[in-house]
Amino acid sequence: MVLPDQHPGPTEWGESRVGVGPWEVEHPGQPLPTDPRFDAALLAEGDRRNVVDAYRYWTREAIVADIDTRRHDLHVAIENFEHDANIGTVVRTANAFAVNTVHIVGRRRWNRRGAMVTDRYQHLLHHPDVDTLLQWAKEQGLTVVAIDNTPGSVPLETAELPERCLLLFGQEGPGVTEAARSGALMTCSIAQFGSTRSINAGVAAGIAMHAWIRQHADISQAW
C-alpha cells in the first residue's frame, strides 16, 4: 500500500477559513508539544488543512497511521474509463467513512479536485481492468457487491451487505459494466421516486457506503 502523491490541492493553496493558527497564538504560554505525531512546521505556521480538529498539527503520516487503526472492512471500487469527475467525490466520502481502500479500475489518472485533498489520507489501489479487481477481491476474501439500477437488482434499502465487502460502482452514464455485474455476488439498486433515470455516481456511492456503515460500523467510534 502506498500513500498518494504529495502535490498540493485546492484547500492547501492558500488561507482557509477552517483550522487554527500557530501553536503559540492558539495556546499562549503553553510549551510546544513533544509528541512525535506533531509537525514542527504546522506548529509554527498554523494548520489550515481539511482535517478534523483531533488531527490539528499532526503530520500526514501520523494521521494515516491513526486512521489505519480504525479502518473498516469495507472497500470501494469505481470504474474509470472516461476520466469520471465523480471519483474525487467518492474518495472524499470514503475517507469520511474510514473505508479501507478505494480501487480505481481502468485509467490510472483521475480528477482529484473533488477529493479536497482527502486522497492524501486514503489508501488507493489501481487495477487495469475489472477481471484483475475481481481476482484481487477473491484473494482477499472480499465479497463484491455492484451498485446499479438495473433489472433484477436487489433494493439496497433491504439488502444485507457482507461485512467484508467491496462495493463496485460504474461511472456516470453507462453505469457498471457487464463484466462487473457478472463477477459480483449481487447488484443493489437505490430506490428512486422522481423523474430522473439515475442518481449522480458520487452521490450513489455515498448512499451505498452509508448503508454499509449503518449495518456494520461501531457508531460510538465516530467523531
Side-chain angles (χ1 to χ4, degrees), residues 142-166:
L142 295 168
T143 302
V144 178
V145 175
I147 305 295
D148 201 359
N149 282 19
T150 55
S153 57
V154 178
L156 179 64
E157 294 74 20
T158 59
E160 185 174 338
L161 297 174
E163 185 169 0
R164 287 188 52 76
C165 180
L166 187 149

Side-chain angles (χ1 to χ4, degrees), residues 8-195:
T11 61
E12 296 183 340
W13 285 334
E15 282 294 303
S16 170
R17 290 174 293 177
V18 301
V20 291
W23 178 272
E24 64 179 13
V25 174
E26 301 290 340
H27 306 277
Q30 296 186 26
L32 288 174
T34 57
D35 190 318
R37 292 176 299 182
F38 286 82
D39 183 278
L42 294 174
L43 289 169
E45 301 169 8
D47 186 356
R48 303 293 179 181
R49 298 172 301 172
N50 178 26
V51 298
V52 296
D53 289 343
Y55 290 142
R56 288 296 169 207
Y57 303 117
W58 284 31
T59 67
R60 182 187 311 174
E61 293 75 16
I63 294 173
V64 173
D66 188 71
I67 299 174
D68 283 347
T69 67
R70 298 178 289 102
R71 289 194 195 274
H72 295 120
D73 286 332
L74 173 64
H75 291 244
V76 171
I78 182 164
E79 296 181 281
N80 180 35
F81 300 109
E82 298 176 0
H83 293 299
D84 195 332
N86 290 290
I87 293 178
T89 301
V90 173
V91 170
R92 182 180 181 183
T93 306
N95 169 267
F97 292 140
V99 164
N100 187 295
T101 303
V102 174
H103 303 259
I104 311 296
V105 183
R107 295 181 184 270
R108 183 180 293 274
R109 293 179 60 84
W110 54 279
N111 188 332
R112 281 175 159 77
R113 183 168 293 273
M116 297 296 286
V117 199
T118 55
D119 55 303
R120 294 186 171 198
Y121 311 97
Q122 177 61 53
H123 293 307
L124 306 171
L125 194 59
H126 174 258
H127 304 268
D129 50 47
V130 170
D131 288 342
T132 305
L133 170 73
L134 295 174
Q135 180 60 37
W136 183 92
K138 181 179 179 180
E139 293 170 356
Q140 300 300 315
L142 295 168
T143 302
V144 178
V145 175
I147 305 295
D148 201 359
N149 282 19
T150 55
S153 57
V154 178
L156 179 64
E157 294 74 20
T158 59
E160 185 174 338
L161 297 174
E163 185 169 0
R164 287 188 52 76
C165 180
L166 187 149
L167 296 175
L168 176 54
F169 303 91
Q171 57 189 32
E172 196 75 27
V176 174
T177 60
E178 181 57 38
R181 280 193 294 271
S182 298
L185 171 69
M186 61 180 171
T187 297
C188 289
S189 60
I190 298 172
Q192 297 179 203
F193 302 90
S195 62

